[in-house]
Amino acid sequence: MEKLKKMFNGRILAILTITLVVLLFGFYRFNQRFAFNWDQSDDANKVAEMISLKKPLLIGPRVANESGFFVGPFHYYFLAPFFVLFNGDPIAEGIAAIVVALITSISGYLLASKMFNKRLGLFTGLIFASMTSIQSWNVMYTSFFGILGYFLCWKIINSKTKYFPLLMFVYGMAATSHLVPASMGLSILVALIISAKKPTFKQIFLGIGLFLISFVPNLIFDLRHDFLNLKKIIAFVSIDNHVGDHPWWLFLRSFWRGVNLSTFAFDINKNQLLIILGNALVLSILIFEIIKIKNNKLKLLTVVWMMTPLLALGFYKGNIPEYYYGLSLSILPILLASFIKRLNWKIGLILVIIFVSIRFYRIWQDRPMINLSDKKNVVKYIAQQKEDPIFNVSYDLPVGMETGYDYLFNFYKHQPVNTNQGHLYTIVLLPSGEDEKVVYKSNRIGVIRR
């Protein structure tokens, strides 16, 4: 009983420590760091429409490119309670991202503890916690699905076939959240092949059913819209529309950047020597830890897990964002923690603290050009000024920076009127060349009354 109590108390202390790190990384300078850009404003509009009309959505965000296909609507349903709780305020998305980071970090701790031991689990959880991001979009679930999928594949190769239905459900949810986790499929296949015990017919049937459940909303949408989304998927897969002037090794550069952002997060445009040294160290640790895995089946699973996105994206001829390696790199905290655990306990803890401190220094430096708070300030000024009850709004902003304002005007319940009756206000990036006409400023943006 005493041993059980000690173990329980140790687990609670570890979870509390991880939670505090997540909250620190999430809420430190939250208002200055949370940006409300295209992805966030598009999500906000979709969720607000779903809530106000009480009409369920059948498709989620568009992926791949501007003419790509739509994934499942899980992301919108996850965000909906946060928007209800915060009365439609877009900060709901930032809070949701922190909650996802917390779930991912605690899951990393618990699952790595079960796979290996409590010390490695704690280090894994702390590394995940230091990777907390407040960027809300449908890619933010990748690390959670990755760590859970990897754990369940490990269960399968250890002949725990009762986990197969749950693994397939996780894979379905992951595959309908974004393209990024799709590579999990090959790892699942390899786990099944190398497992000494195979799932029963009942487990396979249930697993396939649970996998397909995630696709039901998309299927209903396609049945109502002449299989529009399916046609887009087929076009994306079959038509070579990715050709560009990019070098063949671009996918390796994207992976290199992904490793940097997933670990030390040195500024890509500065400290090139630090980036090279840091990435070389991380990749060396990764290779070393894979070689040192004693269980050959787990070693094979790990290699397949890491290499599948690299091999698949090697055939892609277009520009590849770093986050496309999110599933591959989702197990990187485990491998880093495994290396640190090999050292003396105190030295290992010091290294984890140094790692967390470097990550914190990154968010301390992180200052988006325009954040949500700035946008809310200028919109609130225009919406609540008394001189022109009827107004119109134009934007003199770089491409991509003009997003989110429509939602905020609706949030403050005073929309611009696109007629000659509305006095024109222009939102500009400062310095604008018309500073003498600026009637209101918030950080890098200002308002001009024409």
Side-chain angles (χ1 to χ4, degrees):
M1 186 67 181
E2 189 64 31
K3 184 178 179 181
L4 183 64
K5 183 179 179 181
K6 185 178 180 181
M7 182 181 70
F8 179 77
N9 290 337
R11 179 174 294 179
I12 293 298
L13 180 61
I15 291 175
L16 285 175
T17 302
I18 291 168
T19 300
L20 287 174
V21 175
V22 170
L23 296 180
L24 172 64
F25 276 75
F27 287 105
Y28 175 73
R29 295 176 54 248
F30 179 89
N31 287 333
Q32 289 75 42
R33 291 168 49 220
F34 181 61
F36 190 57
N37 296 324
W38 191 91
D39 288 297
Q40 293 73 40
S41 61
D42 185 64
D43 292 344
N45 282 309
K46 299 288 175 47
V47 174
E49 180 184 2
M50 183 173 67
I51 293 172
S52 62
L53 299 179
K54 296 180 174 59
K55 181 180 178 181
L57 291 171
L58 297 174
I59 55 172
R62 190 192 297 269
V63 297
N65 52 52
E66 64 279 358
S67 60
F69 56 91
F70 299 92
V71 293
F74 157 76
H75 177 54
Y76 297 149
Y77 290 103
F78 180 80
L79 292 179
F82 294 92
F83 273 90
V84 172
L85 182 64
F86 289 93
N87 297 315
D89 193 316
I91 64 168
E93 294 187 78
I95 304 300
I98 295 172
V99 170
V100 171
L102 181 60
I103 294 172
T104 302
S105 302
I106 293 176
S107 298
Y109 159 66
L110 295 174
L111 299 179
S113 295
K114 283 187 172 293
M115 290 183 70
F116 303 102
N117 56 58
K118 289 185 291 184
R119 185 188 299 181
L120 191 149
L122 176 60
F123 290 164
T124 299
L126 289 172
I127 292 171
F128 267 122
S130 70
M131 295 178 181
T132 296
S133 169
I134 58 174
Q135 182 180 18
S136 174
W137 57 333
N138 57 310
V139 180
M140 66 183 179
Y141 313 99
T142 300
S143 291
F144 170 71
F145 286 133
I147 189 70
L148 183 55
Y150 183 72
F151 171 79
L152 293 173
C153 284
W154 173 74
K155 284 289 188 181
I156 296 299
I157 66 175
N158 283 288
S159 299
K160 304 292 184 180
T161 57
K162 65 179 181 180
Y163 291 97
F164 178 73
L166 177 59
L167 173 59
M168 291 303 292
F169 177 71
V170 170
Y171 182 40
M173 292 296 292
T176 53
S177 68
H178 198 273
L179 266 176
V180 174
S183 62
M184 192 190 301
L186 183 58
S187 296
I188 294 174
L189 180 61
V190 169
L192 289 171
I193 292 173
I194 64 179
S195 175
K197 184 179 178 182
K198 310 303 179 188
T200 64
F201 176 79
K202 181 180 179 180
Q203 290 168 340
I204 293 174
F205 182 79
L206 180 59
I208 293 174
L210 289 173
F211 173 76
L212 293 176
I213 280 177
S214 303
F215 294 87
V216 169
N218 293 75
L219 177 59
I220 296 173
F221 174 85
D222 268 5
L223 289 172
R224 290 182 175 182
H225 298 86
D226 192 29
F227 294 96
L228 172 65
N229 205 39
L230 180 60
K231 291 175 181 176
K232 285 183 173 292
I233 293 174
I234 294 173
F236 174 78
V237 173
S238 60
I239 299 175
D240 187 10
N241 56 2
H242 315 305
V243 178
D245 296 326
H246 307 294
W248 68 268
W249 43 262
L250 185 65
F251 74 104
L252 293 175
R253 188 183 71 179
S254 298
F255 179 74
W256 179 261
R257 289 164 62 95
V259 170
N260 176 55
L261 294 175
S262 298
T263 51
F264 298 109
F266 293 124
D267 192 325
I268 289 295
N269 299 315
K270 300 175 183 177
N271 303 318
Q272 288 298 323
L273 180 59
L274 285 177
I275 293 172
I276 293 172
L277 293 176
N279 280 18
L281 174 62
V282 170
L283 291 175
S284 298
I285 291 173
L286 186 154
I287 294 170
F288 173 80
E289 284 301 320
I290 291 177
I291 292 173
K292 295 292 287 185
I293 295 175
K294 294 180 181 179
N295 186 316
N296 288 330
K297 291 183 177 180
L298 180 59
K299 182 182 294 187
L300 176 60
L301 172 67
T302 304
V303 171
V304 171
W305 189 278
M306 293 292 302
M307 293 302 298
T308 300
L310 269 170
L311 295 175
L313 293 171
F315 293 97
Y316 189 87
K317 299 178 182 178
N319 188 23
I320 302 170
E322 297 81 14
Y323 59 81
Y324 269 72
Y325 295 100
L327 188 78
S328 175
L329 297 173
S330 64
I331 63 171
L332 189 54
I334 293 180
L335 297 172
L336 290 175
S338 177
F339 178 80
I340 293 171
K341 186 192 73 68
R342 295 179 187 278
L343 307 173
N344 175 275
W345 164 252
K346 292 181 180 178
I347 295 176
L349 185 59
I350 290 171
L351 287 178
V352 170
I353 292 173
I354 291 173
F355 182 90
V356 172
S357 300
I358 292 173
R359 296 287 304 184
F360 186 78
Y361 178 72
R362 172 62 177 174
I363 68 165
W364 180 72
Q365 285 186 313
D366 189 20
R367 300 174 187 272
M369 183 172 289
I370 301 175
N371 55 48
L372 171 62
S373 182
D374 296 327
K375 291 184 177 182
K376 288 172 73 173
N377 287 340
V378 298
V379 168
K380 189 175 182 180
Y381 169 81
I382 297 173
Q384 297 181 354
Q385 50 79 33
K386 306 299 183 183
E387 192 170 359
D388 304 297
I390 301 176
F391 59 86
N392 195 6
V393 176
S394 65
Y395 304 93
D396 185 10
L397 296 168
V399 176
M401 291 188 183
E402 72 280 18
T403 56
Y405 295 97
D406 288 344
Y407 180 87
L408 291 172
F409 276 112
N410 190 50
F411 174 69
Y412 285 111
K413 299 181 176 12
H414 200 162
Q415 289 281 3
V417 177
N418 190 20
T419 66
N420 292 331
Q421 291 179 301
H423 195 96
L424 182 63
Y425 285 79
T426 303
I427 298 176
V428 299
L429 183 68
L430 302 175
S432 66
E434 299 181 84
D435 281 0
E436 70 279 359
K437 298 179 182 178
V438 172
V439 294
Y440 182 82
K441 297 179 181 180
S442 181
N443 194 20
R444 295 292 306 278
I445 50 176
V447 178
I448 294 175
R449 183 177 183 272
R450 299 297 182 184

